[in-house]
Amino acid sequence: MNYQQKENQILFKYIKDKFNALFDCYGYDEITLPLFEAYEKFKRYRAVDENTLLKLIDRAGNILVLRPDATFHVLKTVETFEEKIERCYYITNIFRFRDNDFEKNDTLQAGCELFGSPAPYADIEVINLAIESLRVLDIENIHIDIGHSKFVHTFLKEIGIREFREISHYHGLVDNKNLIALEEELSARGTSKKNIRQLCDIAMLFGEYDATMAKAYDVCINAKMEENLQQIQAIYDGLKAVGSHPYVRLDLGFSNPMNYYTGMIFKGYVSGYGENIISGGRYDTLARQFADLPYACGFGHNIDAILDILLKRQAAPAYKPAVCVSGEDYYAAAVLCNELHKRNIRSILSEPRTGMPALIVCDKAVKVIDENGEYNTTVEKILSGEGGILC
Amino acid sequence: MLRLAVAKGRTADAVVNLFEKAGIVFTDYAHTRKLLMRDKDKQIELILVKPIDTPIYVESGAADCGIAGLDILKENEADIYPLMRLDASKCEMILAVKEGDDITDKRFLTVATKYPRITQEYFDKQNKEVKIIHLSGALELAPILNMADAIVDIRQTGKTLKENGLIAIEEFMDISACFIANKVSLKTRYAEIKTLMDKLTGGGAE
C-alpha cells in the first residue's frame, strides 16, 4: 500500500468499516495474526515460494519470517483456541518480496475462513460472501471464475505426469495458457496428440457457466474428473438458489500459485482491471495438517487492488468531520467534549474550523455553528440530543 | 475493435500478409509511416511497436493482443498468455563460432549475445560455465575480434554469418512469430480474439 497518500488511508478505513460490518453480520469473528514466525517452522509450509520470503535475524541468530501469507497464520492461531472456531476473518498486512521498491512488498489483505464442513453449502457461503464484500463497496462489473483444483491435476496424473515438480510445471503452463510451450514440451515427452489437444482445450475452458460446463465433460478422461465437475455443479446450483449466479463463470484452466487447494477454487475480477482481486478455495489437507481441523474453505482480498479500483472510480470519501468544542472557559469546554466522547460523538477541543461543526461554550449556554448556520442552545439540550448536533 | 500490437518490420509485413489472405486489409500499411492504423472494415486496430516492446503493450492492456517473436517472449518474461505460433517470421536460435574453431573441450566459454537469458539457460542445461557478454547488435564481430569464443543469435538466412567467416555449430530453438493475449482481454473479449486467431491460421486455429 502507498501509505503516503491520505486518500489511500481514508479509503482503507472505508473498506475496513464496510468489511467489519459485513463479516460480523455473517457471523465471522475478527482475529489478529502474529507478524513473525520462526523460519524453521515455516519451512514445513510449502505453499509460499521460498524466494519471496522476507526474513529477519534476531539477537540469538534465529531466522524469523515476516508473515508472507495469512492462511498459515490463521491456522496456527485458531489451532491454539480452546473452543474450536467456525468462522473468522482478518484484515492485515502481508509481506513478500516482489520488487526492490519495498512499498510493493507490503500489501494489505482481508480474508474470511470457514471451518468444519465438507458440504457444498460452506463453499457456497464463502463465494457468496466474497461477492457481497465487493458489492458493499459498490464495485460493479464483478465476475467470479470458479474451477476445481484437482481437474488439471487428475488429467496430468492420468497421462503419466506424476512427479511433484513436473505437475507444478505443467500446472503453471496451463494456468498461464502457454499453449505454445504445452504443445512443444508434451510432444517432446511423447504424449499423444489427442491428450495434448485435450490439455490445451482445458487451458481454454473458461467462460459462461452452462456452455463451458457442457464442453468440460468432453475433456474428462476418467471418473474423477467427472466427479470434480459434479462438485462444482452442486456449488453453482447453490449460488443460483441465492441469486449470486449471474456473477459466476467457469474456468477449469486455472490453478493457484498457492498449491494447497483441495477442491473448489475461485478468483474474483473486476472488468477493466488487470489483476484478480479475490482468490480463494477449499484447503482441507492444510487445515488438518496445521490446525487439526478437518475441513476449511475461505478467500482473501487483494486490498491494494481494491484501493486502486476505488481511487480510479471516485474521490476518496473524507473522514467524518469532528465537532470542534471551544469556549472562553477551557474547563467547561473540556467537560462538554468529554460528555460528547461518552456519547460516541467524534469531537475535539479546538477553536471553530472551516467545514467542521462547532460548539462554543459560554457557561451553560452553547453557540452552535453548523451547516444550517448559527444558533444558540444549552449544554443540557445538546447532551439530551436536542438541536441535531448529536445526530 | 480489437487492438493488436505487432513488431515493426519483418513481423508486421508477414502479419499484414496473413491478414490479407483472411480478407482483412490494411490499405494504409504499405504507404504510410503511421504507427496506428485500422483495417478497411474497422475490426482491428494495428499498432506498430518496437519488437522488444510488444509484450509490454499487451501486458499493460494498451493492446488486447499482439504478435511477437518467440525469442522476445523467451528473453523477456511478460505476464501474458502465449497462445499459438504463427506460420511467419521463422528462424532458428543458433550457437556459432569462427570457422575452424573447436569449442567442444573448452571448460569456460565467453559468449556474446543479444539474448543473455536464453543463452544462460542453454548453457545451464549443459552444465557449462559461461561468461555472457550482452551486446545489442553486430554480434559477428565478437569472435572475430577475439572478444568472445562464440555467439548466440537468431539466424534468418545465414548470409551475415557466412560473410563474416562464422559457422553455426548448433541450432537449439525454432523461432517464429507468436500470438499473445492480455490476460483480462482474453476473458472479456474471447469470441473476438478466437475469431482473429482462426483468421491468422487460415480457419482452424487454437
Side-chain angles (χ1 to χ4, degrees), chain A residues 145 175-180 184 201 204 206 251 273-274, chain B residues 70 80-85 178 183-184 186-187 190 206:
Chain A
D145 279 345
D175 196 23
N176 282 316
K177 310 205 188 302
N178 193 340
L179 306 188
I180 297 171
E184 285 173 2
D201 285 348
M204 301 299 274
F206 59 81
D251 185 347
Y273 192 76
Chain B
L70 188 66
I80 44 100
Y81 290 142
L83 294 176
M84 63 172 186
R85 278 178 181 267
C178 296
K183 286 192 162 180
V184 175
L186 186 73
K187 295 259 162 126
Y190 182 58
E206 201 163 307

PDB file of all heavy atoms in Angstrom, chain A residues 145 175-180 184 201 204 206 251 273-274, chain B residues 70 80-85 178 183-184 186-187 190 206:
ATOM      1  N   ASP A 145     -14.632 -16.379 -11.292  1.00  0.00           N
ATOM      2  CA  ASP A 145     -14.354 -17.615 -12.029  1.00  0.00           C
ATOM      3  C   ASP A 145     -14.242 -18.734 -11.019  1.00  0.00           C
ATOM      4  O   ASP A 145     -13.426 -18.636 -10.104  1.00  0.00           O
ATOM      5  CB  ASP A 145     -12.995 -17.501 -12.744  1.00  0.00           C
ATOM      6  CG  ASP A 145     -13.095 -16.738 -14.044  1.00  0.00           C
ATOM      7  OD1 ASP A 145     -14.221 -16.541 -14.525  1.00  0.00           O
ATOM      8  OD2 ASP A 145     -12.045 -16.354 -14.589  1.00  0.00           O
ATOM      9  N   ASP A 175      -2.091 -22.829 -16.397  1.00  0.00           N
ATOM     10  CA  ASP A 175      -2.563 -21.611 -15.745  1.00  0.00           C
ATOM     11  C   ASP A 175      -2.222 -20.381 -16.582  1.00  0.00           C
ATOM     12  O   ASP A 175      -3.019 -19.459 -16.725  1.00  0.00           O
ATOM     13  CB  ASP A 175      -1.898 -21.520 -14.364  1.00  0.00           C
ATOM     14  CG  ASP A 175      -2.604 -20.515 -13.478  1.00  0.00           C
ATOM     15  OD1 ASP A 175      -3.780 -20.243 -13.720  1.00  0.00           O
ATOM     16  OD2 ASP A 175      -1.966 -20.012 -12.543  1.00  0.00           O
ATOM     17  N   ASN A 176      -1.011 -20.375 -17.158  1.00  0.00           N
ATOM     18  CA  ASN A 176      -0.590 -19.234 -17.979  1.00  0.00           C
ATOM     19  C   ASN A 176      -1.035 -19.360 -19.421  1.00  0.00           C
ATOM     20  O   ASN A 176      -0.595 -18.609 -20.273  1.00  0.00           O
ATOM     21  CB  ASN A 176       0.926 -19.083 -17.932  1.00  0.00           C
ATOM     22  CG  ASN A 176       1.354 -18.438 -16.650  1.00  0.00           C
ATOM     23  OD1 ASN A 176       0.738 -17.465 -16.211  1.00  0.00           O
ATOM     24  ND2 ASN A 176       2.362 -18.982 -16.016  1.00  0.00           N
ATOM     25  N   LYS A 177      -1.855 -20.334 -19.698  1.00  0.00           N
ATOM     26  CA  LYS A 177      -2.367 -20.601 -21.047  1.00  0.00           C
ATOM     27  C   LYS A 177      -1.211 -20.536 -22.054  1.00  0.00           C
ATOM     28  O   LYS A 177      -1.337 -19.955 -23.125  1.00  0.00           O
ATOM     29  CB  LYS A 177      -3.491 -19.627 -21.400  1.00  0.00           C
ATOM     30  CG  LYS A 177      -4.550 -19.580 -20.292  1.00  0.00           C
ATOM     31  CD  LYS A 177      -5.902 -19.167 -20.742  1.00  0.00           C
ATOM     32  CE  LYS A 177      -6.853 -18.961 -19.563  1.00  0.00           C
ATOM     33  NZ  LYS A 177      -7.039 -20.107 -18.692  1.00  0.00           N
ATOM     34  N   ASN A 178      -0.096 -21.107 -21.646  1.00  0.00           N
ATOM     35  CA  ASN A 178       1.067 -21.128 -22.522  1.00  0.00           C
ATOM     36  C   ASN A 178       0.949 -22.345 -23.444  1.00  0.00           C
ATOM     37  O   ASN A 178       1.603 -23.365 -23.276  1.00  0.00           O
ATOM     38  CB  ASN A 178       2.350 -21.188 -21.691  1.00  0.00           C
ATOM     39  CG  ASN A 178       3.580 -20.896 -22.532  1.00  0.00           C
ATOM     40  OD1 ASN A 178       3.533 -21.020 -23.760  1.00  0.00           O
ATOM     41  ND2 ASN A 178       4.666 -20.526 -21.888  1.00  0.00           N
ATOM     42  N   LEU A 179       0.040 -22.206 -24.417  1.00  0.00           N
ATOM     43  CA  LEU A 179      -0.273 -23.333 -25.293  1.00  0.00           C
ATOM     44  C   LEU A 179       0.949 -23.710 -26.145  1.00  0.00           C
ATOM     45  O   LEU A 179       1.120 -24.868 -26.514  1.00  0.00           O
ATOM     46  CB  LEU A 179      -1.453 -22.993 -26.193  1.00  0.00           C
ATOM     47  CG  LEU A 179      -2.727 -22.509 -25.473  1.00  0.00           C
ATOM     48  CD1 LEU A 179      -3.869 -22.385 -26.459  1.00  0.00           C
ATOM     49  CD2 LEU A 179      -3.131 -23.449 -24.351  1.00  0.00           C
ATOM     50  N   ILE A 180       1.792 -22.711 -26.423  1.00  0.00           N
ATOM     51  CA  ILE A 180       2.971 -22.970 -27.252  1.00  0.00           C
ATOM     52  C   ILE A 180       3.903 -23.949 -26.526  1.00  0.00           C
ATOM     53  O   ILE A 180       4.288 -24.989 -27.068  1.00  0.00           O
ATOM     54  CB  ILE A 180       3.711 -21.647 -27.546  1.00  0.00           C
ATOM     55  CG1 ILE A 180       2.789 -20.718 -28.359  1.00  0.00           C
ATOM     56  CG2 ILE A 180       5.013 -21.904 -28.283  1.00  0.00           C
ATOM     57  CD1 ILE A 180       3.310 -19.310 -28.530  1.00  0.00           C
ATOM     58  N   GLU A 184       4.818 -28.015 -27.272  1.00  0.00           N
ATOM     59  CA  GLU A 184       6.195 -28.415 -27.564  1.00  0.00           C
ATOM     60  C   GLU A 184       6.740 -29.390 -26.517  1.00  0.00           C
ATOM     61  O   GLU A 184       7.324 -30.413 -26.846  1.00  0.00           O
ATOM     62  CB  GLU A 184       7.079 -27.175 -27.654  1.00  0.00           C
ATOM     63  CG  GLU A 184       6.828 -26.462 -28.963  1.00  0.00           C
ATOM     64  CD  GLU A 184       7.534 -25.131 -29.083  1.00  0.00           C
ATOM     65  OE1 GLU A 184       8.272 -24.754 -28.151  1.00  0.00           O
ATOM     66  OE2 GLU A 184       7.328 -24.475 -30.106  1.00  0.00           O
ATOM     67  N   ASP A 201      -7.181 -27.688 -24.698  1.00  0.00           N
ATOM     68  CA  ASP A 201      -8.607 -27.345 -24.601  1.00  0.00           C
ATOM     69  C   ASP A 201      -8.980 -26.999 -23.163  1.00  0.00           C
ATOM     70  O   ASP A 201      -9.740 -26.071 -22.911  1.00  0.00           O
ATOM     71  CB  ASP A 201      -9.484 -28.505 -25.091  1.00  0.00           C
ATOM     72  CG  ASP A 201      -9.480 -28.621 -26.611  1.00  0.00           C
ATOM     73  OD1 ASP A 201      -8.990 -27.675 -27.265  1.00  0.00           O
ATOM     74  OD2 ASP A 201      -9.949 -29.650 -27.137  1.00  0.00           O
ATOM     75  N   MET A 204      -8.134 -23.604 -22.138  1.00  0.00           N
ATOM     76  CA  MET A 204      -9.018 -22.576 -22.701  1.00  0.00           C
ATOM     77  C   MET A 204     -10.483 -22.791 -22.296  1.00  0.00           C
ATOM     78  O   MET A 204     -11.386 -22.187 -22.875  1.00  0.00           O
ATOM     79  CB  MET A 204      -8.909 -22.574 -24.235  1.00  0.00           C
ATOM     80  CG  MET A 204      -7.505 -22.307 -24.748  1.00  0.00           C
ATOM     81  SD  MET A 204      -6.872 -20.695 -24.255  1.00  0.00           S
ATOM     82  CE  MET A 204      -7.539 -19.688 -25.553  1.00  0.00           C
ATOM     83  N   PHE A 206     -12.964 -21.760 -20.369  1.00  0.00           N
ATOM     84  CA  PHE A 206     -13.482 -20.732 -19.479  1.00  0.00           C
ATOM     85  C   PHE A 206     -14.602 -19.985 -20.187  1.00  0.00           C
ATOM     86  O   PHE A 206     -14.708 -20.019 -21.401  1.00  0.00           O
ATOM     87  CB  PHE A 206     -12.368 -19.768 -19.057  1.00  0.00           C
ATOM     88  CG  PHE A 206     -11.706 -19.061 -20.201  1.00  0.00           C
ATOM     89  CD1 PHE A 206     -12.276 -17.945 -20.773  1.00  0.00           C
ATOM     90  CD2 PHE A 206     -10.501 -19.529 -20.713  1.00  0.00           C
ATOM     91  CE1 PHE A 206     -11.672 -17.294 -21.838  1.00  0.00           C
ATOM     92  CE2 PHE A 206      -9.892 -18.889 -21.771  1.00  0.00           C
ATOM     93  CZ  PHE A 206     -10.474 -17.780 -22.340  1.00  0.00           C
ATOM     94  N   ASP A 251     -14.069 -21.542 -14.972  1.00  0.00           N
ATOM     95  CA  ASP A 251     -12.733 -21.563 -15.570  1.00  0.00           C
ATOM     96  C   ASP A 251     -12.022 -22.806 -15.053  1.00  0.00           C
ATOM     97  O   ASP A 251     -11.621 -22.859 -13.893  1.00  0.00           O
ATOM     98  CB  ASP A 251     -11.938 -20.300 -15.210  1.00  0.00           C
ATOM     99  CG  ASP A 251     -10.587 -20.246 -15.926  1.00  0.00           C
ATOM    100  OD1 ASP A 251     -10.180 -21.283 -16.497  1.00  0.00           O
ATOM    101  OD2 ASP A 251      -9.940 -19.188 -15.929  1.00  0.00           O
ATOM    102  N   TYR A 273      -9.911  -4.211 -14.956  1.00  0.00           N
ATOM    103  CA  TYR A 273      -8.772  -4.190 -14.033  1.00  0.00           C
ATOM    104  C   TYR A 273      -7.953  -5.459 -14.246  1.00  0.00           C
ATOM    105  O   TYR A 273      -8.502  -6.566 -14.196  1.00  0.00           O
ATOM    106  CB  TYR A 273      -9.247  -4.070 -12.577  1.00  0.00           C
ATOM    107  CG  TYR A 273      -8.111  -3.754 -11.638  1.00  0.00           C
ATOM    108  CD1 TYR A 273      -7.595  -2.465 -11.574  1.00  0.00           C
ATOM    109  CD2 TYR A 273      -7.520  -4.743 -10.872  1.00  0.00           C
ATOM    110  CE1 TYR A 273      -6.514  -2.171 -10.755  1.00  0.00           C
ATOM    111  CE2 TYR A 273      -6.445  -4.457 -10.042  1.00  0.00           C
ATOM    112  CZ  TYR A 273      -5.942  -3.170  -9.987  1.00  0.00           C
ATOM    113  OH  TYR A 273      -4.879  -2.886  -9.190  1.00  0.00           O
ATOM    114  N   GLY A 274      -6.649  -5.275 -14.469  1.00  0.00           N
ATOM    115  CA  GLY A 274      -5.806  -6.376 -14.929  1.00  0.00           C
ATOM    116  C   GLY A 274      -5.489  -7.501 -13.949  1.00  0.00           C
ATOM    117  O   GLY A 274      -5.009  -8.539 -14.352  1.00  0.00           O
TER     118      GLY A 274
ATOM    119  N   LEU B  70       9.148 -15.524 -30.799  1.00  0.00           N
ATOM    120  CA  LEU B  70       9.336 -16.385 -29.627  1.00  0.00           C
ATOM    121  C   LEU B  70      10.628 -16.006 -28.884  1.00  0.00           C
ATOM    122  O   LEU B  70      10.711 -16.144 -27.670  1.00  0.00           O
ATOM    123  CB  LEU B  70       9.383 -17.856 -30.064  1.00  0.00           C
ATOM    124  CG  LEU B  70       9.384 -18.880 -28.939  1.00  0.00           C
ATOM    125  CD1 LEU B  70       8.070 -18.859 -28.176  1.00  0.00           C
ATOM    126  CD2 LEU B  70       9.633 -20.284 -29.473  1.00  0.00           C
ATOM    127  N   ILE B  80       1.642 -12.467 -19.791  1.00  0.00           N
ATOM    128  CA  ILE B  80       0.658 -12.506 -20.883  1.00  0.00           C
ATOM    129  C   ILE B  80       0.359 -13.980 -21.166  1.00  0.00           C
ATOM    130  O   ILE B  80       1.023 -14.859 -20.632  1.00  0.00           O
ATOM    131  CB  ILE B  80       1.202 -11.826 -22.163  1.00  0.00           C
ATOM    132  CG1 ILE B  80       2.656 -12.272 -22.420  1.00  0.00           C
ATOM    133  CG2 ILE B  80       1.183 -10.311 -22.059  1.00  0.00           C
ATOM    134  CD1 ILE B  80       2.865 -13.296 -23.400  1.00  0.00           C
ATOM    135  N   TYR B  81      -0.639 -14.229 -21.998  1.00  0.00           N
ATOM    136  CA  TYR B  81      -0.901 -15.604 -22.430  1.00  0.00           C
ATOM    137  C   TYR B  81      -0.274 -15.831 -23.804  1.00  0.00           C
ATOM    138  O   TYR B  81      -0.697 -15.206 -24.773  1.00  0.00           O
ATOM    139  CB  TYR B  81      -2.413 -15.854 -22.525  1.00  0.00           C
ATOM    140  CG  TYR B  81      -3.136 -15.912 -21.204  1.00  0.00           C
ATOM    141  CD1 TYR B  81      -4.413 -15.371 -21.079  1.00  0.00           C
ATOM    142  CD2 TYR B  81      -2.583 -16.543 -20.094  1.00  0.00           C
ATOM    143  CE1 TYR B  81      -5.109 -15.442 -19.880  1.00  0.00           C
ATOM    144  CE2 TYR B  81      -3.271 -16.615 -18.897  1.00  0.00           C
ATOM    145  CZ  TYR B  81      -4.534 -16.066 -18.789  1.00  0.00           C
ATOM    146  OH  TYR B  81      -5.220 -16.132 -17.609  1.00  0.00           O
ATOM    147  N   PRO B  82       0.737 -16.719 -23.923  1.00  0.00           N
ATOM    148  CA  PRO B  82       1.277 -17.035 -25.250  1.00  0.00           C
ATOM    149  C   PRO B  82       0.421 -18.135 -25.870  1.00  0.00           C
ATOM    150  O   PRO B  82       0.527 -19.282 -25.464  1.00  0.00           O
ATOM    151  CB  PRO B  82       2.697 -17.538 -24.949  1.00  0.00           C
ATOM    152  CG  PRO B  82       2.774 -17.699 -23.458  1.00  0.00           C
ATOM    153  CD  PRO B  82       1.461 -17.418 -22.851  1.00  0.00           C
ATOM    154  N   LEU B  83      -0.432 -17.791 -26.820  1.00  0.00           N
ATOM    155  CA  LEU B  83      -1.452 -18.758 -27.236  1.00  0.00           C
ATOM    156  C   LEU B  83      -1.078 -19.654 -28.402  1.00  0.00           C
ATOM    157  O   LEU B  83      -1.472 -20.809 -28.433  1.00  0.00           O
ATOM    158  CB  LEU B  83      -2.761 -18.023 -27.532  1.00  0.00           C
ATOM    159  CG  LEU B  83      -3.399 -17.374 -26.294  1.00  0.00           C
ATOM    160  CD1 LEU B  83      -4.638 -16.594 -26.684  1.00  0.00           C
ATOM    161  CD2 LEU B  83      -3.761 -18.405 -25.238  1.00  0.00           C
ATOM    162  N   MET B  84      -0.390 -19.110 -29.408  1.00  0.00           N
ATOM    163  CA  MET B  84      -0.022 -20.026 -30.512  1.00  0.00           C
ATOM    164  C   MET B  84       1.102 -19.448 -31.367  1.00  0.00           C
ATOM    165  O   MET B  84       1.339 -18.255 -31.403  1.00  0.00           O
ATOM    166  CB  MET B  84      -1.235 -20.322 -31.385  1.00  0.00           C
ATOM    167  CG  MET B  84      -1.776 -19.102 -32.073  1.00  0.00           C
ATOM    168  SD  MET B  84      -3.044 -19.582 -33.253  1.00  0.00           S
ATOM    169  CE  MET B  84      -3.363 -18.008 -34.030  1.00  0.00           C
ATOM    170  N   ARG B  85       1.765 -20.375 -32.057  1.00  0.00           N
ATOM    171  CA  ARG B  85       2.770 -19.972 -33.028  1.00  0.00           C
ATOM    172  C   ARG B  85       2.083 -19.642 -34.334  1.00  0.00           C
ATOM    173  O   ARG B  85       1.037 -20.212 -34.654  1.00  0.00           O
ATOM    174  CB  ARG B  85       3.714 -21.151 -33.298  1.00  0.00           C
ATOM    175  CG  ARG B  85       4.808 -21.340 -32.280  1.00  0.00           C
ATOM    176  CD  ARG B  85       5.581 -22.570 -32.720  1.00  0.00           C
ATOM    177  NE  ARG B  85       6.653 -22.901 -31.824  1.00  0.00           N
ATOM    178  CZ  ARG B  85       7.919 -22.472 -31.985  1.00  0.00           C
ATOM    179  NH1 ARG B  85       8.239 -21.696 -33.001  1.00  0.00           N
ATOM    180  NH2 ARG B  85       8.848 -22.857 -31.150  1.00  0.00           N
ATOM    181  N   CYS B 178       4.644 -15.357 -32.668  1.00  0.00           N
ATOM    182  CA  CYS B 178       3.659 -15.997 -31.785  1.00  0.00           C
ATOM    183  C   CYS B 178       2.536 -15.023 -31.480  1.00  0.00           C
ATOM    184  O   CYS B 178       2.762 -13.820 -31.356  1.00  0.00           O
ATOM    185  CB  CYS B 178       4.304 -16.398 -30.463  1.00  0.00           C
ATOM    186  SG  CYS B 178       5.566 -17.635 -30.669  1.00  0.00           S
ATOM    187  N   LYS B 183      -4.206 -10.889 -20.367  1.00  0.00           N
ATOM    188  CA  LYS B 183      -4.914 -11.863 -19.541  1.00  0.00           C
ATOM    189  C   LYS B 183      -6.383 -11.511 -19.332  1.00  0.00           C
ATOM    190  O   LYS B 183      -7.234 -12.393 -19.311  1.00  0.00           O
ATOM    191  CB  LYS B 183      -4.205 -12.004 -18.194  1.00  0.00           C
ATOM    192  CG  LYS B 183      -2.910 -12.776 -18.311  1.00  0.00           C
ATOM    193  CD  LYS B 183      -2.355 -13.157 -16.970  1.00  0.00           C
ATOM    194  CE  LYS B 183      -1.328 -14.272 -17.146  1.00  0.00           C
ATOM    195  NZ  LYS B 183      -0.746 -14.710 -15.890  1.00  0.00           N
ATOM    196  N   VAL B 184      -6.660 -10.226 -19.153  1.00  0.00           N
ATOM    197  CA  VAL B 184      -8.068  -9.852 -18.932  1.00  0.00           C
ATOM    198  C   VAL B 184      -8.825  -9.817 -20.260  1.00  0.00           C
ATOM    199  O   VAL B 184      -9.946 -10.296 -20.358  1.00  0.00           O
ATOM    200  CB  VAL B 184      -8.179  -8.522 -18.166  1.00  0.00           C
ATOM    201  CG1 VAL B 184      -9.636  -8.076 -18.057  1.00  0.00           C
ATOM    202  CG2 VAL B 184      -7.579  -8.673 -16.775  1.00  0.00           C
ATOM    203  N   LEU B 186      -8.405 -11.635 -22.809  1.00  0.00           N
ATOM    204  CA  LEU B 186      -8.764 -12.975 -23.267  1.00  0.00           C
ATOM    205  C   LEU B 186     -10.072 -13.427 -22.621  1.00  0.00           C
ATOM    206  O   LEU B 186     -10.886 -14.105 -23.244  1.00  0.00           O
ATOM    207  CB  LEU B 186      -7.646 -13.981 -22.954  1.00  0.00           C
ATOM    208  CG  LEU B 186      -7.915 -15.369 -23.544  1.00  0.00           C
ATOM    209  CD1 LEU B 186      -7.725 -15.382 -25.055  1.00  0.00           C
ATOM    210  CD2 LEU B 186      -7.050 -16.441 -22.932  1.00  0.00           C
ATOM    211  N   LYS B 187     -10.269 -13.028 -21.382  1.00  0.00           N
ATOM    212  CA  LYS B 187     -11.502 -13.414 -20.686  1.00  0.00           C
ATOM    213  C   LYS B 187     -12.692 -12.589 -21.169  1.00  0.00           C
ATOM    214  O   LYS B 187     -13.778 -13.105 -21.350  1.00  0.00           O
ATOM    215  CB  LYS B 187     -11.340 -13.189 -19.175  1.00  0.00           C
ATOM    216  CG  LYS B 187     -10.312 -14.071 -18.537  1.00  0.00           C
ATOM    217  CD  LYS B 187     -10.990 -15.195 -17.834  1.00  0.00           C
ATOM    218  CE  LYS B 187     -10.032 -16.316 -17.564  1.00  0.00           C
ATOM    219  NZ  LYS B 187      -9.977 -16.712 -16.185  1.00  0.00           N
ATOM    220  N   TYR B 190     -13.138 -12.890 -25.497  1.00  0.00           N
ATOM    221  CA  TYR B 190     -12.663 -14.162 -26.029  1.00  0.00           C
ATOM    222  C   TYR B 190     -13.150 -14.434 -27.453  1.00  0.00           C
ATOM    223  O   TYR B 190     -12.388 -14.857 -28.313  1.00  0.00           O
ATOM    224  CB  TYR B 190     -13.048 -15.321 -25.098  1.00  0.00           C
ATOM    225  CG  TYR B 190     -12.535 -16.653 -25.605  1.00  0.00           C
ATOM    226  CD1 TYR B 190     -11.171 -16.846 -25.815  1.00  0.00           C
ATOM    227  CD2 TYR B 190     -13.406 -17.683 -25.916  1.00  0.00           C
ATOM    228  CE1 TYR B 190     -10.685 -18.048 -26.299  1.00  0.00           C
ATOM    229  CE2 TYR B 190     -12.929 -18.897 -26.401  1.00  0.00           C
ATOM    230  CZ  TYR B 190     -11.566 -19.065 -26.599  1.00  0.00           C
ATOM    231  OH  TYR B 190     -11.095 -20.245 -27.084  1.00  0.00           O
ATOM    232  N   GLU B 206      -5.988 -22.878 -32.911  1.00  0.00           N
ATOM    233  CA  GLU B 206      -6.015 -22.881 -31.453  1.00  0.00           C
ATOM    234  C   GLU B 206      -4.745 -23.472 -30.981  1.00  0.00           C
ATOM    235  O   GLU B 206      -4.292 -24.433 -31.569  1.00  0.00           O
ATOM    236  CB  GLU B 206      -7.184 -23.606 -30.836  1.00  0.00           C
ATOM    237  CG  GLU B 206      -7.366 -23.088 -29.403  1.00  0.00           C
ATOM    238  CD  GLU B 206      -8.709 -23.407 -28.813  1.00  0.00           C
ATOM    239  OE1 GLU B 206      -9.676 -23.072 -29.468  1.00  0.00           O
ATOM    240  OE2 GLU B 206      -8.779 -23.975 -27.743  1.00  0.00           O
TER     241      GLU B 206
END
